[in-house]
Amino acid sequence: RCGENSWITVELKQPGSNPRSLGASVQVVTGTLTQTRWMTAGGTGLQSSSDAIAHFGLGSATTVDRIDVRWPDGTLSRVTDLEVNRKTTVTRAADE
């Protein structure tokens, strides 16, 4: 519910026993704004649940400078120059 403001959602995928990347952190950088979300199981309220998708409100940003993903084992992946107002999936390569 961002109205006229920009947004991006980030879904993580990786091979192995933790395909939803629970425990990873996602950092989105737009200009001088940096936001971080952690991928967790379930929701934040009593008897709630949620998808393993991180939503970021971006205000008036027209692009995302970069997304940094710190995978559960500490490995870093970076994606740059992304469009706003869309879902982005970051997939970890099997050899990372």
Side-chain angles (χ1 to χ4, degrees):
R1 298 186 181 117
C2 290
E4 297 292 319
N5 292 319
S6 300
W7 56 271
I8 193 166
T9 59
V10 180
E11 179 179 20
L12 304 181
K13 293 185 179 183
Q14 69 173 347
S17 62
N18 184 11
R20 292 176 50 194
S21 308
L22 301 179
S25 67
V26 179
Q27 189 174 69
V28 172
V29 178
T30 54
T32 60
L33 177 65
T34 300
Q35 300 178 71
T36 303
R37 303 281 186 276
W38 287 264
M39 304 307 279
T40 60
T44 58
L46 180 64
Q47 296 182 342
S48 66
S49 65
S50 62
D51 292 331
I53 296 174
H55 179 273
F56 297 87
L58 305 176
S60 61
T62 56
T63 60
V64 172
D65 297 326
R66 74 175 190 266
I67 296 175
D68 288 335
V69 176
R70 182 70 62 183
W71 299 98
D73 69 356
T75 304
L76 177 69
S77 294
R78 178 170 284 170
V79 182
T80 58
D81 299 319
L82 297 154
E83 295 181 26
V84 297
N85 301 334
R86 62 187 60 239
K87 177 182 173 183
T88 298
T89 301
V90 180
T91 302
R92 182 177 181 178
D95 59 351
E96 282 188 357

